[in-house]
């Protein structure tokens, strides 16, 4: 369904489970950044009424996820650490087209968001199926479903709102780029690490 070229080795879940405080902190900040991304896209594309409503819903949902992760951190006696730099997301951002039309930049930002949601969904699936912590396994299963919905929303808006971009062609370019990029990741206790 997601079209990802390379799936995460299930052993990555072992790395994550060995340091739950770190993976939960990283995850919390990923949720906060996802909410910020949705809000930023509203600010730059306010002429699309349906899009504004959907992005508002996503921003609220992502902040609810942030709060849920923080609550798990606190319940377990951990501390929410400082925001983490996400090298994976930084590399994806560099792949975004910035030198074309306004619509091209908008569509690429939507595909950028869809790509992050797709990989997050896939990572949450790996966690839900491979960690021993039953509470977190269920939590990550539920979030996997949510991320899949966000992925679909971003991709559908790219197709709907494109005026000068062959979205399917560009999405395949994103999938190919990400498939090569992700080969360098999967060895740290970070959602995209």
């Amino acid at each position: 369904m997601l079209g990802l070229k390379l799936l995460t080795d299930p052993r990555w879940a072992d790395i994550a489970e060995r340091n739950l405080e770190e993976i939960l902190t990283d995850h919390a900040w990923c949720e906060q950044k996802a909410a910020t991304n949705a809000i930023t896209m509203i600010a730059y594309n306010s002429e699309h009424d349906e899009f504004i409503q959907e992005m508002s819903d996503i921003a609220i949902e992502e902040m609810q996820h942030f709060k849920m992760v923080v609550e798990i951190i606190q319940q377990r006696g951990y501390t929410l650490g400082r925001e983490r730099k996400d090298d994976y997301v930084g590399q994806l951002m560099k792949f975004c087209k910035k030198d074309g039309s306004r619509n091209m930049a908008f569509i690429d930002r939507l595909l950028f968001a869809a790509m992050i949601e797709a990989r997050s969904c896939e990572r949450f699936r790996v966690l839900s199926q491979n960690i021993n912590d039953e509470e977190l396994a269920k939590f990550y299963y539920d979030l996997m479903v949510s991320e899949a919905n966000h992925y679909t929303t971003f991709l559908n808006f790219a197709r709907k709102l494109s005026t000068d971009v062959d979205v399917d062609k560009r999405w395949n370019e994103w999938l190919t780029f990400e498939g090569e990029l992700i080969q360098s990741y999967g060895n740290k206790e970070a959602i995209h690490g």
Side-chain angles (χ1 to χ4, degrees):
M1 176 191 117
L2 300 171
L4 297 173
K5 302 289 185 188
L6 181 65
L7 299 180
T8 300
D9 186 324
R11 291 175 294 185
W12 169 76
D14 298 332
I15 296 168
E17 196 162 24
R18 281 195 297 267
N19 193 345
L20 288 177
E21 184 171 10
E22 183 62 29
I23 194 79
L24 288 166
T25 290
D26 181 70
H27 178 192
W29 289 113
C30 287
E31 298 291 355
Q32 179 272 326
K33 290 171 194 169
T36 299
N37 183 58
I39 293 166
T40 299
M41 284 201 286
I42 290 170
Y44 289 106
N45 303 284
S46 57
E47 65 275 20
H48 304 291
D49 293 338
E50 181 186 3
F51 178 75
I52 292 169
Q53 184 58 51
E54 288 290 330
M55 290 304 105
S56 298
D57 291 344
I58 286 176
I60 290 166
E61 187 174 353
E62 299 287 16
M63 283 310 296
Q64 288 169 338
H65 293 170
F66 173 81
K67 185 174 186 227
M68 291 164 61
V69 177
V70 169
E71 287 171 355
I72 290 171
I73 289 170
Q74 293 170 343
Q75 289 166 0
R76 290 170 179 242
Y78 303 149
T79 302
L80 175 65
R82 296 262 181 207
E83 180 181 356
R84 307 310 198 244
K85 181 179 179 191
D86 193 327
D87 293 326
Y88 166 84
V89 171
Q91 293 300 315
L92 289 180
M93 181 56 81
K94 289 177 185 176
F95 189 69
C96 283
K97 289 189 176 182
K98 299 167 186 74
D99 58 351
S101 69
R102 182 176 185 278
N103 185 255
M104 183 180 292
F106 176 40
I107 298 309
D108 241 37
R109 185 64 182 245
L110 287 167
L111 296 178
F112 161 81
M115 187 86 268
I116 295 169
E117 297 289 345
R119 181 54 68 184
S120 298
C121 176
E122 191 265 348
R123 287 285 171 96
F124 292 164
R125 181 190 59 77
V126 170
L127 288 172
S128 73
Q129 293 177 349
N130 294 286
I131 60 174
N132 296 315
D133 186 309
E134 290 181 19
E135 176 190 6
L136 286 181
K138 180 180 180 340
F139 178 67
Y140 280 112
Y141 177 83
D142 292 343
L143 289 185
M144 174 191 70
V145 173
S146 176
E147 299 298 299
N149 289 332
H150 296 171
Y151 152 79
T152 302
T153 298
F154 286 117
L155 200 51
N156 286 343
F157 271 117
R159 289 180 174 127
K160 181 176 183 176
L161 299 175
S162 175
T163 59
D164 61 353
V165 178
D166 181 337
V167 174
D168 291 329
K169 179 179 182 234
R170 182 61 178 151
W171 181 240
N172 282 323
E173 292 170 0
W174 272 98
L175 289 168
T176 298
F177 174 78
E178 199 272 349
E180 294 168 7
L181 175 65
I182 201 65
Q183 292 178 39
S184 301
Y185 295 89
N187 54 13
K188 294 189 323 189
E189 55 277 290
I191 295 299
H192 304 121

